[in-house]
Amino acid sequence: MKKLLGVIFLIVTFASIVAFAQFGSSEKGKVVAVIDGNEIKLSDLTNYVDTLLGEKYKKMLETEDGIKQIADYYITRKVILDYAKETIKADDKLLKSHSGGSTDKDTMLITAVLKKEVQDKIEIEKDELEKFMKESQITDRTAALAKLEAMKRAEIFNKFITELKGKHSIKFM
C-alpha cells in the first residue's frame, strides 16, 4: 500500500510539475500587444525589463495594469527608435561625439532624435517666463526657467509620441 501511495504521489507530483512548467511557458508566450501586426509577448517585456528598465520595474510585470504600462513603454521606445533610424543620419553630431563609448547605438539614436524633435524645439520668450513666474509665484528666475522648460519638454514630447504612435497600428490585449 505504501508503495502504491508513493507511486501515486510521484505521478501527481510529476504531473503538477509538467503542468506548472507548461503554464509558466505559455504565460511567457502570452501576447500582450500587437504593433503593425507584430506580436509583443510577455517574454519580450520581461527581457525589456531585465535588459533596459531594471529591477524596480519587475514588480509591474505581476499585474495586468503593470504589464500594459510596460508594453506602452516598449512600444514608445520602438516607435521612437524606428523613427530615429529613418531620420538620424550617421554623421549626426551627437552620434559622432558618442561613437565608441559605452552607450549603445540604439540609445544614442533615441537621444539624438529626442534632442532634434523635442529639446531643440523648446523656445521661451522673456515675457513668457515673466508671466509664468508671476502666475506660479516662483521668484527664482533659474528655477522658474527650469520648471517652464520641463513643462514645455513634456508637452512637446507627448505631442511627438502621439503623432508617431498615430502612424502605427497598436492594439493592447
Side-chain angles (χ1 to χ4, degrees):
M1 183 68 157
K2 282 185 179 181
K3 282 187 177 185
L4 180 61
L5 286 174
V7 170
I8 292 172
F9 176 75
L10 285 174
I11 291 171
V12 169
T13 302
F14 179 73
S16 297
I17 290 170
V18 169
F20 181 74
Q22 287 177 341
F23 173 76
S25 64
S26 69
E27 259 312 285
K28 293 283 185 186
K30 173 184 166 187
V31 176
V32 296
V34 178
I35 179 167
D36 300 330
N38 298 311
E39 295 179 339
I40 299 169
K41 297 179 179 173
L42 186 56
S43 59
D44 298 321
L45 299 184
T46 301
N47 184 48
Y48 176 60
V49 168
D50 290 344
T51 58
L52 291 173
L53 296 184
E55 195 67 34
K56 75 178 196 175
Y57 290 88
K58 282 189 177 187
K59 193 134 184 89
M60 292 175 72
L61 293 171
E62 297 173 8
T63 67
E64 289 299 316
D65 286 342
I67 290 169
K68 185 175 179 187
Q69 194 170 2
I70 295 290
D72 189 52
Y73 296 160
Y74 182 93
I75 290 167
T76 298
R77 184 177 195 279
K78 181 182 179 0
V79 299
I80 292 172
L81 183 57
D82 289 350
Y83 179 77
K85 287 177 179 178
E86 292 171 9
T87 61
I88 300 297
K89 307 294 182 230
D91 64 345
D92 180 89
K93 190 172 132 181
L94 185 63
L95 284 184
K96 287 178 91 173
S97 70
H98 287 80
S99 66
S102 62
T103 307
D104 69 74
K105 185 178 179 184
D106 288 351
T107 300
M108 287 313 305
L109 280 168
I110 290 169
T111 302
V113 83
L114 290 177
K115 181 184 180 311
K116 176 184 165 196
E117 297 293 339
V118 178
Q119 186 63 35
D120 290 351
K121 293 184 177 180
I122 298 172
E123 294 178 6
I124 298 174
E125 301 292 327
K126 184 180 176 183
D127 58 331
E128 181 182 12
L129 177 60
E130 289 172 6
K131 180 181 176 189
F132 177 75
M133 289 176 69
K134 209 176 260 186
E135 289 173 356
S136 64
Q137 297 180 345
I138 299 174
T139 56
D140 182 293
R141 189 173 197 78
T142 304
L145 181 59
K147 184 161 179 100
L148 187 55
E149 282 179 345
M151 290 169 51
K152 284 192 172 246
R153 184 177 304 109
E155 179 183 318
I156 294 168
F157 176 80
N158 288 332
K159 182 180 177 201
F160 174 63
I161 293 304
T162 300
E163 288 174 7
L164 276 184
K165 285 183 175 180
K167 297 176 183 177
H168 297 272
S169 169
I170 300 169
K171 181 179 177 186
F172 292 93
M173 307 317 236

